[in-house]
Amino acid sequence: FTSFLHLPGTSEEVAPPLQQSFMIPKKEINVVSDMAKWKRSQAYADYMGFILTLNEGVRGKKLTCEYKVSEPIEKLVALLNTLDRWIDETPPVDQPSRFGNKAFRTWYAKLDQEAEKLVATVIPKHLADTAPEVAVYLKESVGNSTRIDYGTGHEAAFAAFLCCLCKIGVLRVDDQMAIVFKVFNRYLEVMRKLQKTYRMEPAGSQGVWGLDDFQFLPFIWGSSQLIDHPNLEPRHFVDEKVVNENHKDFMFLECILFITEMKTGPFAEHSNQLWNISAVPSWSKVNQGLIRMYKAECLEKFPVIQHFKFGSLLPIQPVTS
C-alpha cells in the first residue's frame, strides 16, 4: 500500500504532468446507506493505506531520533506555526458560557480567508492548480466554527491533507518519519492549544466510552513507536512517573499527559477505554486493536464520515485495483 507514496518525477524540474483536473472537494455521504460507497472508494483505500504506511514508518522509533527533514516538511511546520501565532493574536473573549469561546470564530475566519495562500507556500509553482483542492482539507482539520467543536473527523481531514500532498508528490516516501514526528506532532500541539484556549467541545464524543475526547491517530502511531520497547509495556502508561519521564519520546505518552492535565479524578473513570488498553500484554496487540477500533469507531461511523469531502485526489469512485 505504499504505492501512492512512490510517485513519478524525481525533482521539480522534471515534474510529471498531472493528468487530472482538480476540483473543490465536496460532501458525498449524505445518508447512512452512502457509507457503503465510502468503504469501496478509492479515497478510503488511499486514506487507510496512508495511515498504515506511516504506522510502519514510525515503528519502534522515538520522536527524538534522527530523520530527514525536507523543505516541504519545513514549510508545513512554518504553516502550523502561523496558525499557532494567530491563536496568540486572537485571545478568548468574555462570555457567559464556559465552553465554546466565540473568539474561535474570529481565528477560523482568518484561516478560511488565508488557507489557499498558506497551502500555496508549501506547493511548488507547477502544482499551483492543486492548492484550492488541498486547502479544503486544511480548513476542515481545525474544528467546526459554528459549533466550536473538534473531533476525530477534523483530525482525519488533516491526515487527508497530508495524504493529498503525498499524492501530488510534494511529500515523498522518505518523508514518512518527519510527516508524523514533525508535522503531525506540531499539528497536535496547535490543536491542543486551540482546545484549551477556546474551550472547544469534543465533536461526537462518546464520553468516557470513547478512546479520547479529541484525537485518535496519535494513539495508533504512538503505540507503533513503542512496539518492542525493551522496558515500557502497556501497563506502564497509567504510571505518572513513567509518563513524565518518557513523554518527549513517545506520542502515545504525550497524549496521556494532555489527558491528565485536562481531566481530574481517577484515570480508570475519566478514560475507561485507555485504562482497559493498559491491560493488553504487548504494544503490537495494542496497535492492531487500535487500528480495528479506528475503522469501527471513526471511519465506519456516519456522524464522522458524513463531513468528509471528496475531490480528484481522494475520489468517491470505487477503488480500481
Side-chain angles (χ1 to χ4, degrees):
F1 47 62
T2 53
S3 57
F4 63 89
L5 278 166
H6 294 290
L7 283 149
T10 44
S11 71
E12 290 189 16
E13 296 75 54
V14 292
L18 281 154
Q19 272 78 36
Q20 61 204 70
S21 54
F22 296 95
M23 61 179 274
I24 298 297
K26 60 185 205 297
K27 267 171 63 98
E28 299 277 1
I29 309 299
N30 300 305
V31 289
V32 175
S33 57
D34 289 338
M35 289 296 285
K37 274 200 297 197
W38 153 243
K39 283 187 255 182
R40 283 197 301 267
S41 70
Q42 188 65 49
Y44 182 88
D46 287 349
Y47 180 86
M48 213 48 228
F50 181 67
I51 299 303
L52 294 172
T53 299
L54 295 175
N55 190 55
E56 283 309 301
V58 300
R59 189 183 174 124
K61 308 275 199 318
K62 291 181 173 182
L63 286 169
T64 49
C65 73
E66 295 278 307
Y67 50 84
K68 178 194 156 219
V69 179
S70 63
E71 197 183 339
I73 294 284
E74 296 283 16
K75 288 175 172 170
L76 281 164
V77 172
L79 180 158
L80 291 163
N81 291 344
T82 300
L83 302 190
D84 191 327
R85 192 184 74 242
W86 291 348
I87 302 173
D88 296 333
E89 292 167 3
T90 318
V93 294
D94 275 336
Q95 61 175 46
S97 65
R98 218 170 110 224
F99 286 94
N101 195 282
K102 291 181 178 62
F104 175 72
R105 292 180 183 148
T106 311
W107 179 90
Y108 184 86
K110 190 157 182 131
L111 173 61
D112 196 36
Q113 211 181 335
E114 304 287 329
E116 273 183 47
K117 269 191 224 129
L118 287 173
V119 169
T121 63
V122 179
I123 293 178
K125 291 274 186 289
H126 68 270
L127 294 171
D129 304 358
T130 65
E133 177 166 349
V134 176
V136 167
Y137 295 102
L138 179 65
K139 287 191 280 194
E140 296 280 317
S141 76
V142 297
N144 180 287
S145 67
T146 310
R147 295 187 302 272
I148 315 183
D149 66 6
Y150 175 93
T152 49
H154 303 110
E155 177 190 73
F158 192 74
F161 166 67
L162 297 172
C163 182
C164 288
L165 293 174
C166 286
K167 291 195 82 170
I168 60 176
V170 171
L171 296 172
R172 303 291 164 97
V173 78
D174 57 356
D175 287 317
Q176 280 182 70
M177 284 171 68
I179 289 172
V180 179
F181 292 172
K182 238 190 153 44
V183 180
F184 194 80
N185 204 42
R186 185 73 187 104
Y187 164 75
L188 286 176
E189 289 169 359
V190 178
M191 291 310 105
R192 287 176 186 137
K193 187 166 169 177
L194 278 179
Q195 289 152 19
K196 264 170 134 159
T197 306
Y198 304 122
R199 303 294 301 271
M200 296 177 79
E201 300 270 13
S205 163
Q206 298 156 327
V208 295
W209 305 112
L211 184 69
D212 177 78
D213 279 345
F214 298 111
Q215 314 296 156
F216 204 114
L217 292 173
F219 292 95
I220 295 178
W221 296 330
S223 59
S224 181
Q225 284 184 276
L226 285 153
I227 290 174
D228 297 332
H229 192 283
N231 43 15
L232 286 181
E233 293 170 31
R235 64 191 173 92
H236 290 122
F237 77 73
V238 290
D239 179 336
E240 207 179 325
K241 185 171 180 288
V242 172
V243 172
N244 287 332
E245 285 170 9
N246 297 282
H247 69 93
K248 287 191 169 63
D249 285 325
F250 300 104
M251 206 170 238
F252 194 106
L253 301 182
E254 199 72 81
C255 291
I256 301 294
L257 187 69
F258 184 66
I259 291 171
T260 54
E261 275 176 16
M262 299 298 279
K263 301 203 163 184
T264 52
F267 193 91
E269 285 175 25
H270 63 60
S271 302
N272 191 262
Q273 282 281 23
L274 282 166
W275 180 261
N276 294 339
I277 287 168
S278 72
V280 175
S282 72
W283 285 110
S284 66
K285 284 264 187 295
V286 170
N287 186 246
Q288 290 158 9
L290 285 172
I291 290 167
R292 280 196 306 273
M293 186 177 168
Y294 185 59
K295 288 177 179 170
E297 297 299 318
C298 300
L299 301 185
E300 292 173 12
K301 286 278 188 275
F302 176 73
V304 176
I305 296 305
Q306 64 172 330
H307 302 294
F308 198 89
K309 296 194 171 162
F310 301 84
S312 71
L313 294 166
L314 289 170
I316 189 68
Q317 280 68 34
V319 69
T320 49
S321 50

